[in-house]
Amino acid sequence: MTEEHGVISSFQQRRQLETAIASFASTASDRDLRQHAAELASAYPTAMLQAALVRNLGTSNSQLRGGLGYLAAQLPHDDAVNTLRQVVADRRRSAVERTTAALLMERFLEAPAPAALLADLAGDDAAPYQSLLEAVEEGRGNRYVLLEYVQQMQQHPAETAFMVMGLIDRLPPADRSELLRLIAQDERLPVARAALDRLSILAGEEPGALRALHTLQFALPPARAEQATRALRKLQFSGRRYLPPAADGWRALVAPPDAGGFLSVWFVRGASATGDDGILLGFVISLFTGLVQFSGGEEMEASLLPPVHKAGEIFKMEMGRSALLTLQECTFDLGRWLLHTTLSVHWSREQVAPLPQEYFLYNDLLWEFAAPQLVAALAARWTEDAPAALPRADVLSEAAEFLVDHPVMRNWLRWSVALWESVEPSARQRHAPDMLVRLVLRELADAPEKDDLLRAMATGLRGLSIWFASAGDLPHADAAQLYAQWFARLPVNENPLLELLLLRGLQIM
């Protein structure tokens, strides 16, 4: 009886596991895939997970394949590699199973796919084309599936990408645009250019390709963006012109920049009268270094979206664990201008960090509209140079006091507190606060990272000036602008704002 009960229990557990694995197909983001895989790994025995992994390798669902990859990564590495390698070597299995096993080994376990597999499958595109058709079909209801498909393609050499684009050429025109838009954002320049070329030809007959080219003007690095712009210009001469829609229902929520130029920008579109779900796209950006973080969702319930406020209103959003984020209700174009400016900074750096993959999927939602236009008064605050004459010392001191007293400057004081936490407590106790601040300023003046620190803070102040002005607070905007122009030019020991930030931070300590 006990043995029979164990068999029944094991059978039920396997059925539950199969149901749980099938639910990978309904996840909405890469983060959800990772989390679900981790939950399964902690809930089921390793041997059972390995067997379920093998049973599901023939799936046609690219989203589920991604989940299997994350599940494989949760297993003991050598066991997972050996299990998948056996599948790859087994010619009795289907081409789809063997190809999927090799892909998971390479992408998720960092184990090279056996060359013999590629030789076995050379010239046979039936399985890859079927996989593409199924991804397109599923992508109509959940386009995240298309991102997962392209991510899997990117794990292989460029030749694979060209093969996939050859298969895409066989699809109906209306089904090609979204995949080509994603491939056009590939880091490999020849691959991206080939996708752009295909979009340029397709745009002569397909509105979706015309829209994709328009969005890529803003989503791609400058050289490739120019290729999209040239293609659109040629299409205009032939009578094919893209007409951007109105950005109805969209809004931007912007946090004040901190001392490093970091800030959050949220783009929100509420649920529409036609039944479309809400959208929330959240960015952490640095006006000094570029795009840092992104998360997005297209199927947001109204209760999960931030409430609407009056334009320019400053409010706080609870972020969990009693943390509050200060945000301002801004125009959609101001938020997009900040993001586009950040991307320009991102691409101008010597070492360009990869952008978040999910940004590639969702950026068309922001860039399908006309180019963001910033009102002249705000735009001038970003580009305005310092006047010839240095302001008087008393003017600089008063502006520093006025600015630091504003509640949003608490974010700037966190930088100061963090600096003081690196100072030995005994050293803090040996000196009066004013003397201690002067000693730290003297060390900062000689620090190798001084120039980057001052430029980052000056950039943050320039963004803060725009933020205050957008809220209608011109006195604080002008104080921030004054220091944006002079912060990196003043000698460190003659910078009243820097000195005051250090003093206030020490008082907090």
Side-chain angles (χ1 to χ4, degrees), residues 331 333-334 336-337 370-375:
T331 65
D333 265 11
L334 174 55
R336 293 197 305 144
W337 181 88
Q373 298 294 324
L374 201 59
V375 296

mmCIF file of all heavy atoms in Angstrom, residues 331 333-334 336-337 370-375:
data_model
loop_
_atom_site.group_PDB
_atom_site.id
_atom_site.type_symbol
_atom_site.label_atom_id
_atom_site.label_comp_id
_atom_site.label_asym_id
_atom_site.label_seq_id
_atom_site.Cartn_x
_atom_site.Cartn_y
_atom_site.Cartn_z
ATOM 1 N N THR A 331 5.080 66.344 -19.406
ATOM 2 C CA THR A 331 4.579 66.066 -20.740
ATOM 3 C C THR A 331 5.263 64.815 -21.289
ATOM 4 O O THR A 331 6.405 64.503 -20.937
ATOM 5 C CB THR A 331 4.843 67.237 -21.693
ATOM 6 O OG1 THR A 331 6.257 67.395 -21.863
ATOM 7 C CG2 THR A 331 4.251 68.528 -21.156
ATOM 8 N N ASP A 333 6.407 64.437 -24.216
ATOM 9 C CA ASP A 333 7.583 64.807 -24.998
ATOM 10 C C ASP A 333 8.792 65.115 -24.121
ATOM 11 O O ASP A 333 9.928 64.843 -24.518
ATOM 12 C CB ASP A 333 7.272 66.009 -25.896
ATOM 13 C CG ASP A 333 6.858 65.567 -27.300
ATOM 14 O OD1 ASP A 333 6.614 64.359 -27.489
ATOM 15 O OD2 ASP A 333 6.767 66.415 -28.198
ATOM 16 N N LEU A 334 8.582 65.676 -22.932
ATOM 17 C CA LEU A 334 9.719 65.918 -22.045
ATOM 18 C C LEU A 334 10.353 64.597 -21.637
ATOM 19 O O LEU A 334 11.580 64.446 -21.657
ATOM 20 C CB LEU A 334 9.287 66.702 -20.807
ATOM 21 C CG LEU A 334 10.373 66.884 -19.728
ATOM 22 C CD1 LEU A 334 11.628 67.522 -20.300
ATOM 23 C CD2 LEU A 334 9.848 67.696 -18.550
ATOM 24 N N ARG A 336 10.256 61.751 -23.284
ATOM 25 C CA ARG A 336 10.923 61.152 -24.448
ATOM 26 C C ARG A 336 12.189 61.921 -24.810
ATOM 27 O O ARG A 336 13.176 61.328 -25.249
ATOM 28 C CB ARG A 336 9.968 61.113 -25.641
ATOM 29 C CG ARG A 336 8.787 60.150 -25.447
ATOM 30 C CD ARG A 336 8.110 59.834 -26.772
ATOM 31 N NE ARG A 336 7.710 61.039 -27.464
ATOM 32 C CZ ARG A 336 7.745 61.193 -28.787
ATOM 33 N NH1 ARG A 336 8.187 60.216 -29.555
ATOM 34 N NH2 ARG A 336 7.350 62.317 -29.355
ATOM 35 N N TRP A 337 12.174 63.240 -24.624
ATOM 36 C CA TRP A 337 13.381 64.022 -24.892
ATOM 37 C C TRP A 337 14.505 63.617 -23.928
ATOM 38 O O TRP A 337 15.664 63.462 -24.344
ATOM 39 C CB TRP A 337 13.080 65.512 -24.760
ATOM 40 C CG TRP A 337 14.254 66.394 -25.038
ATOM 41 C CD1 TRP A 337 14.647 66.896 -26.242
ATOM 42 C CD2 TRP A 337 15.223 66.857 -24.078
ATOM 43 N NE1 TRP A 337 15.795 67.636 -26.103
ATOM 44 C CE2 TRP A 337 16.171 67.629 -24.787
ATOM 45 C CE3 TRP A 337 15.373 66.696 -22.719
ATOM 46 C CZ2 TRP A 337 17.248 68.247 -24.156
ATOM 47 C CZ3 TRP A 337 16.448 67.292 -22.077
ATOM 48 C CH2 TRP A 337 17.366 68.056 -22.802
ATOM 49 N N ALA A 370 5.849 61.449 -33.614
ATOM 50 C CA ALA A 370 6.789 62.442 -34.144
ATOM 51 C C ALA A 370 7.926 62.644 -33.154
ATOM 52 O O ALA A 370 7.813 62.334 -31.956
ATOM 53 C CB ALA A 370 6.053 63.756 -34.394
ATOM 54 N N ALA A 371 9.049 63.166 -33.649
ATOM 55 C CA ALA A 371 10.208 63.409 -32.789
ATOM 56 C C ALA A 371 9.816 64.273 -31.596
ATOM 57 O O ALA A 371 9.022 65.209 -31.737
ATOM 58 C CB ALA A 371 11.308 64.097 -33.590
ATOM 59 N N PRO A 372 10.338 63.960 -30.396
ATOM 60 C CA PRO A 372 9.977 64.758 -29.214
ATOM 61 C C PRO A 372 10.432 66.204 -29.347
ATOM 62 O O PRO A 372 11.561 66.472 -29.753
ATOM 63 C CB PRO A 372 10.697 64.042 -28.063
ATOM 64 C CG PRO A 372 11.801 63.265 -28.720
ATOM 65 C CD PRO A 372 11.305 62.894 -30.067
ATOM 66 N N GLN A 373 9.539 67.118 -29.020
ATOM 67 C CA GLN A 373 9.836 68.549 -29.094
ATOM 68 C C GLN A 373 9.790 69.140 -27.694
ATOM 69 O O GLN A 373 8.788 69.013 -26.995
ATOM 70 C CB GLN A 373 8.812 69.261 -29.987
ATOM 71 C CG GLN A 373 8.803 68.786 -31.431
ATOM 72 C CD GLN A 373 10.088 69.129 -32.157
ATOM 73 O OE1 GLN A 373 10.677 70.185 -31.927
ATOM 74 N NE2 GLN A 373 10.530 68.245 -33.031
ATOM 75 N N LEU A 374 10.884 69.763 -27.293
ATOM 76 C CA LEU A 374 10.961 70.411 -25.986
ATOM 77 C C LEU A 374 10.758 71.904 -26.175
ATOM 78 O O LEU A 374 11.327 72.494 -27.099
ATOM 79 C CB LEU A 374 12.328 70.128 -25.358
ATOM 80 C CG LEU A 374 12.447 70.270 -23.846
ATOM 81 C CD1 LEU A 374 11.485 69.332 -23.141
ATOM 82 C CD2 LEU A 374 13.875 69.981 -23.407
ATOM 83 N N VAL A 375 9.951 72.506 -25.340
ATOM 84 C CA VAL A 375 9.730 73.948 -25.459
ATOM 85 C C VAL A 375 11.066 74.670 -25.336
ATOM 86 O O VAL A 375 11.968 74.231 -24.604
ATOM 87 C CB VAL A 375 8.727 74.458 -24.402
ATOM 88 C CG1 VAL A 375 7.353 73.841 -24.612
ATOM 89 C CG2 VAL A 375 9.219 74.162 -22.988
#
